């Protein structure tokens, strides 16, 4: 049985090749908490940044990580070297078509009244 580390050092690679981190997290940290950390540290000068945790996808060892899993549960015995640095890729998911339609409908429903 593999031994799970208590602490993991992680850096987050953005799509433009820049990094956030590295930073150390306990193995019990949830993926949702990692996403919150990415949001908090997102470079302000970058355009099209994520607005919520739902906008962020984290990929490690070729797998999209689920919000309810912990780092310890997501570790890959083949890819994660004890005491090494783990790189997770960050993908910002664009708003879905359903969300776009909802905001467009809200804009269309505005009423302008002209009194003569």
């Amino acid at each position: 049985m593999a031994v799970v580390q208590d602490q993991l050092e992680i850096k987050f690679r953005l799509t433009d090749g820049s990094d956030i981190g590295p930073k150390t997290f306990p193995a019990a940290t949830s993926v949702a908490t990692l996403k919150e950390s990415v949001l908090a540290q997102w470079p302000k000068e970058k355009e099209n940044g994520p607005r919520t945790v739902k906008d962020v996808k984290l990929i490690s060892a070729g797998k999209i990580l689920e919000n309810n899993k912990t780092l310890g549960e997501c570790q890959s015995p083949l890819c994660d070297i004890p005491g090494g640095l783990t790189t997770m890729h960050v993908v910002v998911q664009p708003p879905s078509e359903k969300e776009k339609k909802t905001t467009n409908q809200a804009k269309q429903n505005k009423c302008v009244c002209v009194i003569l």
Side-chain angles (χ1 to χ4, degrees):
M1 183 174 211
V3 177
V4 177
Q5 294 173 242
D6 290 337
Q7 299 281 321
L8 294 163
E9 189 174 16
I10 299 173
K11 72 176 175 180
F12 302 97
R13 174 79 32 99
L14 307 181
T15 54
D16 67 356
S18 62
D19 294 329
I20 294 175
K23 189 174 176 184
T24 303
F25 295 92
T29 304
S30 72
V31 172
T33 302
L34 289 179
K35 290 180 178 184
E36 289 170 3
S37 178
V38 168
L39 280 173
Q41 297 178 57
W42 192 268
K44 303 298 180 211
E45 68 276 4
K46 294 205 182 291
E47 294 181 15
N48 301 325
R51 288 180 262 159
T52 67
V53 170
K54 291 180 181 181
D55 296 341
V56 177
K57 299 289 182 208
L58 293 180
I59 302 171
S60 181
K63 294 184 180 181
I64 297 174
L65 306 182
E66 299 175 34
N67 287 346
N68 60 342
K69 300 281 185 176
T70 65
L71 278 175
E73 293 171 327
C74 296
Q75 275 188 286
S76 169
L78 300 175
C79 298
D80 294 327
I81 300 168
L85 178 66
T86 300
T87 301
M88 291 189 180
H89 294 268
V90 179
V91 177
V92 178
Q93 184 175 10
S96 69
E97 289 299 317
K98 185 176 182 180
E99 290 174 14
K100 287 181 184 177
K101 286 180 183 177
T102 303
T103 55
N104 285 341
Q105 285 175 350
K107 289 178 184 176
Q108 290 174 355
N109 290 338
K110 289 184 180 177
C111 178
V112 176
C113 297
V114 179
I115 300 174
L116 300 174

